[in-house]
Amino acid sequence: MRDDDRTAYDAKSRHPHEDRPESGTEQDSGTRPAGSSGREHGEQPRRAPGPRTLAVPDLSLVVLIGATGSGKSTFAARHFRPTEVLSSDFCRGLVSGDENDQSASGDAFDVLHFIAGKRLAAGRLTVVDATNVQSEARAQLVRLAREHDVLPVAIVLDMPEQVCAARNAARADRAGLPRRVIQRHQRELRRSLRHLEREGFRKVHVLRGPEEVESAEVVTERRFNDLRHLTGPFDIIGDIHGCRSELETLLGRLGYALVRDALGRPVDAAHPEGRTAVFVGDLVDRGPDSPGVLRLVMGMVGAGHALCVPGNHENKLGRYLKGKKVQHTHGLAETVEQLEKEDEAFRTEVGEFIRGLVSHYVLDGGSLVVCHAGLPEKYHGRTSGRVRSFALYGDTTGETDEFGLPVRYPWAEDYRGRAAVVYGHTPTPRASWLNNTLCLDTGCVFGGAMTALRWPERELVDVPAEQVWYEPTKPLASEAPGGADGRPLDLKDVTGRRIVETRQMGRLAVREENAAAALEVMSRFAIDPRLLPYLPPTMAPCATSAEEGYLEHPAEAFAGYRADGVREVVCEEKHMGSRAVALVCRDEAAAAGFPHGPKGIGGAPAGVPKGVSGALYTRTGRPFFDDPELTERVLRRVRDCAEEAGLWDELETDWLLLDAELMPWSLKAAGLLRQQYAAVGAASGAAFPGVLDALEAAAARGVEVSPLLGRQRDRAADAAAFTEAYRRYCWRVGVRSAGDGAPEQPDGGAGLGELDGIRLAPFQILAVRGRSLAGLPHTEQLALLDRLIAAETAMAARDGGAPDRPGLLAVTRRLLVDTEDETSVAAGVAWWQELTAEGGEGMVVKPVQALVRRADGRLVQPGVKCRGREYLRIIYGPEYTRPENLARLRGRHLGHKRSLALREYALGLEALDRLADGEPLWRIHEAVFAVLALESEPVDPRL
């Protein structure tokens, strides 16, 4: 076993509940010293009456200790919230109905310990209100605190016997309590006072007499590792190992200005924009100038320009500087030799600096954790020797490799935490994200590079090593958990009941039975998940109209947005096709590296087939075309248009994610058309002529059938209108069928070939590399897409095509409406009537600005569809316009549909945000899969 790992093992065995530097200070406890020593115990002299401040960490187990009648419950009620206090009396009442039934104490304390454990696991301050004068009772609570990696704190109420007796006598339920019970409690308490710290309590506050209790004030203190209030921006720098020159170069690239002392040595560095550097430890050993690195980092930390966590090499150096016996291996010998050239004052300063380092930091509202060797989520913000040991050394499998080095346990492969964990310790050829964790040790001292992460930009910056300063024991290779390219998606990411945290709507639940149905679709029919970063949400219809003959009418859409406080809306033509998402990459290399690039965050998704330059898929993730070559021809056309329009360079991206409509509808709905709609049309076409002929013949013979004949003529007209409605969405495409051997026919010079007749109408650019564009106003979105479409026209004209011949890309016609202007609203209604009179489906009404919220903070619908009277025959049947049917349909309940639309919208936005932030694939797919699950019919998960 290496010395470093033996130290980790020994630290665990010697300090089972310490998360603090070895000097015995309380940095990682998050509690500042109270008075000169930070602790009070039974050996201290009595204090003069006066105000007392009792420091309590904000996450701890507070144990009240005192004889019956000492006032513990009153003290707890005065200084803590009711939900924070667990009373043994109350738990006794829960299990027996009588708070004084001592025979129920065993069960009562089982309940108390169970609830306390649940609170501590959830990160809640917990106060135990019981006598706790017996060491056995306290030992159980100390163990409970250790299990949950929180600090046990003792508050002792040492009251005179007479006071306790008088208070019990004043209580009806304890008036008969024997005096000997109080005396026994007092004896046990006095025996315990001097041993409380040895029992494991990290803070002990003793209050003697009513005056001290009355004047005491409990102050909740932030743990030293809790820096959530610091939001950056940060520059997190990986392992340095004495490479001072490379560190100076890296700081310069990051924009920091170095400050030098009279001898020209760097002693500080500040960023003009106020950024903060964060060092992940292992500043020393192996490299050429460990003292120079320490001088610079200590200066930055002292000036408030940097934060630093300890590495295992600092921990070992600190023990050496304290005079402890350590092996001078793994580069320590070089550091000791370099430090011997420094004066005693500098070495003392180094020792104090190392002793003051905190095991890890929780930053930026809890979204970022920085430590040396990584940290599972259950340890974030916790304080114990176990936490400190893991942060310093990580964990091992207990095995050794062929070089005699311990095999690291791949904790990051199992990580599912919300916070990004940035760490070092294990050299890897390049930094790559895995499950929201990132290892920044890229082996500078071994001839690799020194790497930094800009946060929250998630941008990697590195500088190469000037030379190989220290020959590694084994070749520098990827030992980061999961390797350089991360790991495949895991079934555990999507099965069972899921809770997805979104930025726009908080926590959204997915039921287990819906997840099971979605898994069937995703695993059997969907495209390669590495090319599936987003699924579009469903869209809610506008409110039901009371207008004569109409189920949906734009007046309701405008009124609804006006009620939500939205003045400007854009009406977009609703195309007669199917929703499609197009991932268009600039080239195959961009597709192979999607979404974050071969050298970007996340690494290349190995396994994307050669020749694939993107994806074109339906709103359930299925490929639009069975023929991959046809898909590539569509993508190639859009890619060329983006090049012609200059969008690649303008948006600084090598891929575009487009929300669009692919026409005609019959491309994907041919089976539905044949089996459902065409069957209705055919049946009516076969039945009604004979019926009408028979009725008309009967009428000619003088039989009174006029009412029946009129109804049947109306029904025949409705059936004909139904057939005409769905036929508008069907037309032939291409000049030949794939693989049928038919000769290719000329296409008029448009150069579309098999794409002739296919139309793609993009209406939103969802995202580009490093950015979600979902928040861009719709007018700006459509302006960008107009340029894309104009580029196709220009290309066709240059190639000699007919200028009036339609290309692949279709314009989305639109109209701006002011919902508070009656004239503008009337114009919007008239435009809708014009669209639907031409046989169009209708329109979608959207707020011009994206991500709009109501006055109460809730999201406004991102868009509502308002479909034409004739199109709705396809949805509700040929005879839906009859008054009796319309009256029934007007009772439809839209609440669930609207709720579903908003939830899916929030999940889609979350997927795009995670994509833009460079989060790993499993995090992106958590939101994508949830959209599909909400759209899926529930399936019994046991099947």
Side-chain angles (χ1 to χ4, degrees):
M1 181 183 292
R2 294 194 307 172
D3 182 74
D4 289 3
D5 293 290
R6 183 181 296 112
T7 302
Y9 176 83
D10 292 344
K12 290 181 184 178
S13 60
R14 289 197 309 267
H15 305 293
H17 194 64
E18 291 184 349
D19 184 18
R20 55 183 178 182
E22 291 200 15
S23 64
T25 59
E26 298 188 355
Q27 270 77 5
D28 275 23
S29 72
T31 57
R32 301 183 183 277
S36 59
S37 67
R39 57 190 73 174
E40 299 88 15
H41 52 77
E43 294 299 300
Q44 288 186 324
R46 290 180 178 271
R47 297 174 180 266
R52 291 285 306 281
T53 299
L54 312 182
V56 172
D58 57 357
L59 176 54
S60 58
L61 179 63
V62 179
V63 179
L64 301 182
I65 304 173
T68 177
S70 58
K72 299 181 297 301
S73 298
T74 303
F75 181 88
R78 181 185 304 159
H79 297 286
F80 299 99
R81 297 189 186 97
T83 54
E84 294 174 335
V85 180
L86 300 179
S87 164
S88 60
D89 289 344
F90 177 76
C91 292
R92 200 176 286 114
L94 280 178
V95 299
S96 72
D98 181 0
E99 293 188 355
N100 293 301
D101 183 1
Q102 297 301 314
S103 66
S105 292
D107 290 337
F109 277 98
D110 287 344
V111 171
L112 187 149
H113 293 158
F114 177 80
I115 298 174
K118 290 296 184 182
R119 285 188 57 83
L120 295 176
R124 307 294 183 188
L125 175 69
T126 303
V127 181
V128 176
D129 174 16
T131 58
N132 295 314
V133 294
Q134 295 178 327
S135 60
E136 295 84 358
R138 295 191 298 271
Q140 293 182 64
L141 295 172
V142 171
R143 282 197 299 271
L144 186 64
R146 288 177 176 173
E147 288 172 8
H148 295 282
D149 300 290
V150 303
L151 301 175
V153 176
I155 298 180
V156 181
L157 276 62
D158 186 5
M159 290 291 181
E161 179 185 330
Q162 305 91 297
V163 173
C164 295
R167 289 176 176 174
N168 280 320
R171 291 179 55 178
D173 57 343
R174 294 189 183 174
L177 185 73
R179 189 71 169 249
R180 65 178 181 275
V181 175
I182 301 172
Q183 293 170 345
R184 186 180 74 250
H185 286 178
Q186 294 281 14
R187 288 193 303 271
E188 291 174 331
L189 175 63
R190 297 280 157 57
R191 283 198 299 267
S192 302
L193 281 178
R194 67 180 64 193
H195 305 301
L196 291 176
E197 286 188 336
R198 271 184 281 173
E199 290 179 7
F201 288 99
R202 285 290 298 277
K203 277 185 173 293
V204 179
H205 301 291
V206 181
L207 301 173
R208 291 188 171 87
E211 295 82 4
E212 284 196 7
V213 173
E214 287 295 326
S215 64
E217 179 184 0
V218 173
V219 177
T220 304
E221 293 186 336
R222 187 190 296 270
R223 288 153 285 155
F224 280 11
N225 56 35
D226 183 2
L227 299 184
R228 288 174 295 177
H229 60 288
L230 300 183
T231 57
F234 301 108
D235 297 303
I236 308 165
I237 299 174
D239 298 33
I240 300 170
H241 283 297
C243 299
R244 177 190 53 77
S245 179
E246 288 90 339
L247 175 59
E248 290 185 33
T249 304
L250 180 59
L251 288 171
R253 283 198 59 188
L254 292 169
Y256 288 79
L258 289 172
V259 178
R260 300 182 184 273
D261 62 10
L263 299 177
R265 300 174 301 189
V267 294
D268 190 11
H271 199 284
E273 298 175 5
R275 299 179 71 92
T276 301
V278 185
F279 298 94
V280 304
D282 277 5
L283 309 174
V284 301
D285 294 351
R286 296 176 174 147
D289 191 4
S290 290
V293 172
L294 287 166
R295 185 176 289 108
L296 175 54
V297 173
M298 290 191 302
M300 293 179 69
V301 172
H305 298 144
L307 299 169
C308 184
V309 297
N312 56 299
H313 285 264
E314 281 78 54
N315 191 49
K316 189 174 181 180
L317 176 61
R319 297 199 309 278
Y320 164 78
L321 293 173
K322 286 179 62 179
K324 299 293 181 67
K325 185 177 180 180
V326 294
Q327 296 181 21
H328 290 207
T329 55
H330 304 293
L332 179 60
E334 289 80 357
T335 301
V336 169
E337 181 181 350
Q338 295 163 12
L339 282 174
E340 286 175 351
K341 300 174 184 178
E342 304 289 335
D343 56 33
E344 183 63 30
F346 180 77
R347 290 193 291 271
T348 301
E349 184 182 358
V350 169
E352 292 175 353
F353 172 74
I354 292 174
R355 286 192 292 273
L357 296 177
V358 181
S359 67
H360 71 285
Y361 285 121
V362 182
L363 301 160
D364 196 12
S367 64
L368 173 65
V369 171
V370 178
C371 53
H372 177 62
L375 207 62
E377 186 177 32
K378 64 180 180 180
Y379 292 155
H380 295 179
R382 302 287 170 147
T383 48
S384 72
R386 175 168 51 192
V387 171
R388 185 173 181 83
S389 180
F390 199 110
L392 283 172
Y393 303 99
D395 201 0
T396 65
T397 64
E399 302 169 303
T400 55
D401 61 18
E402 66 272 24
F403 299 95
L405 300 176
V407 177
R408 305 289 179 189
Y409 178 76
W411 66 274
E413 292 188 358
D414 300 324
Y415 184 75
R416 296 293 184 275
R418 292 174 53 191
V421 180
V422 182
Y423 63 105
H425 188 55
T426 305
T428 182
R430 63 178 175 84
S432 61
W433 286 93
L434 171 65
N435 293 344
N436 216 19
T437 74
L438 179 69
C439 178
L440 286 177
D441 183 0
T442 47
C444 181
V445 75
F446 301 127
M450 189 177 296
T451 303
L453 170 72
R454 285 189 171 124
W455 181 275
E457 300 89 342
R458 291 186 176 238
E459 177 186 350
L460 291 169
V461 179
D462 59 45
V463 296
E466 294 179 359
Q467 67 178 70
V468 176
W469 298 105
Y470 194 93
E471 288 293 339
T473 304
K474 62 179 180 179
L476 184 63
S478 178
E479 289 186 355
D485 296 326
R487 62 149 181 86
L489 296 176
D490 194 320
L491 185 64
K492 293 182 293 185
D493 296 335
V494 294
T495 52
R497 185 176 186 271
R498 312 295 301 169
I499 299 292
V500 182
E501 190 79 30
T502 67
R503 296 163 223 204
Q504 301 298 331
M505 285 189 71
R507 294 162 63 86
L508 297 177
V510 176
R511 294 186 300 173
E512 183 178 7
E513 52 268 33
N514 292 89
L519 182 61
E520 173 79 3
V521 173
M522 187 71 79
S523 59
R524 293 185 59 192
F525 307 114
I527 65 170
D528 189 319
R530 289 161 292 197
L531 299 176
L532 182 61
Y534 173 82
L535 286 179
T538 188
M539 183 173 292
C542 63
T544 302
S545 175
E547 191 84 14
E548 181 67 29
Y550 288 94
L551 186 62
E552 294 178 7
H553 194 274
E556 270 65 40
F558 299 140
Y561 278 122
R562 183 168 59 248
D564 287 334
V566 178
R567 180 162 185 168
E568 280 191 304
V569 297
V570 58
C571 304
E572 297 180 7
E573 172 188 12
K574 200 169 190 310
H575 295 282
M576 302 161 67
S578 303
R579 192 79 171 264
V581 178
L583 170 63
V584 185
C585 299
R586 196 168 190 175
D587 49 39
E588 289 183 26
F594 179 82
H596 309 305
K599 290 188 178 180
I601 299 171
V608 173
K610 185 175 177 60
V612 172
S613 65
L616 184 66
Y617 56 90
T618 69
R619 64 185 305 266
T620 57
R622 306 174 190 232
F624 233 102
F625 300 117
D626 296 331
D627 182 5
E629 177 55 32
L630 190 56
T631 299
E632 283 301 315
R633 294 191 68 173
V634 172
L635 297 177
R636 191 179 311 128
R637 187 75 173 183
V638 180
R639 178 168 58 249
D640 293 344
C641 293
E643 190 75 49
E644 177 78 12
L647 293 182
W648 298 121
D649 295 332
E650 180 178 330
L651 298 176
E652 298 179 336
T653 185
D654 56 3
W655 55 262
L656 300 170
L657 189 64
L658 303 175
D659 204 351
E661 195 87 359
L662 191 64
M663 299 169 281
W665 187 37
S666 52
L667 272 175
K668 283 308 290 181
L672 182 68
L673 285 165
R674 285 193 300 268
Q675 297 169 18
Q676 183 171 321
Y677 300 124
V680 173
S684 60
F688 282 118
V691 170
L692 293 177
D693 288 346
L695 289 174
E696 287 171 353
R701 294 195 304 270
V703 179
E704 180 52 45
V705 293
S706 299
L708 180 59
L709 178 60
R711 287 197 302 273
Q712 294 306 312
R713 283 173 175 166
D714 290 343
R715 293 187 67 196
D718 287 342
F722 172 83
T723 303
E724 181 62 25
Y726 76 73
R727 280 179 174 169
R728 292 191 183 103
Y729 294 83
C730 312
W731 60 79
R732 298 189 63 181
V733 300
V735 294
R736 60 180 172 83
S737 301
D740 62 2
E744 185 168 324
Q745 301 297 322
D747 60 11
L752 295 180
E754 285 184 342
L755 303 184
D756 196 27
I758 297 177
R759 310 297 307 281
L760 182 71
F763 51 83
Q764 189 172 14
I765 303 178
L766 296 163
V768 296
R769 179 179 299 283
R771 270 194 301 159
S772 168
L773 299 185
L776 205 63
H778 288 288
T779 48
E780 296 181 30
Q781 287 274 5
L782 292 169
L784 287 172
L785 294 169
D786 285 347
R787 289 170 49 193
L788 191 73
I789 297 164
E792 184 183 35
T793 303
M795 290 165 53
R798 190 169 58 241
D799 295 340
D804 57 346
R805 183 180 178 87
L808 172 68
L809 300 180
V811 173
T812 297
R813 292 181 288 175
R814 80 294 307 246
L815 177 73
L816 292 176
V817 171
D818 183 342
T819 62
E820 297 183 7
D821 183 336
E822 292 183 5
T823 303
S824 182
V825 168
V829 172
W831 189 67
W832 174 80
Q833 291 172 334
E834 180 183 335
L835 286 176
T836 55
E838 295 172 355
E841 181 176 335
M843 68 184 184
V844 177
V845 184
K846 304 175 180 178
V848 170
Q849 300 298 323
L851 308 178
V852 179
R853 293 186 179 273
R854 303 193 322 187
D856 61 5
R858 289 188 292 176
L859 274 176
V860 168
Q861 289 287 347
V864 294
K865 55 190 176 184
C866 184
R867 295 163 291 184
R869 186 173 186 268
E870 292 307 311
Y871 170 79
L872 287 175
R873 290 188 191 276
I874 304 175
I875 307 300
Y876 293 112
E879 300 175 11
Y880 93 99
T881 54
R882 292 180 174 275
E884 64 274 16
N885 292 333
L886 270 179
R888 177 174 51 82
L889 288 171
R890 286 192 175 112
R892 60 183 182 162
H893 299 289
L894 301 178
H896 175 71
K897 182 73 171 181
R898 289 173 176 170
S899 170
L900 186 65
L902 279 177
R903 284 178 285 153
E904 291 182 11
Y905 176 56
L907 287 165
L909 292 174
E910 184 64 24
L912 295 175
D913 286 338
R914 294 179 182 185
L915 174 68
D917 289 345
E919 296 201 28
L921 184 63
W922 79 266
R923 284 273 294 166
I924 298 169
H925 261 266
E926 182 182 46
V928 174
F929 186 86
V931 174
L932 184 59
L934 291 182
E935 280 290 304
S936 302
E937 291 294 328
V939 172
D940 189 335
R942 296 171 296 179
L943 297 179

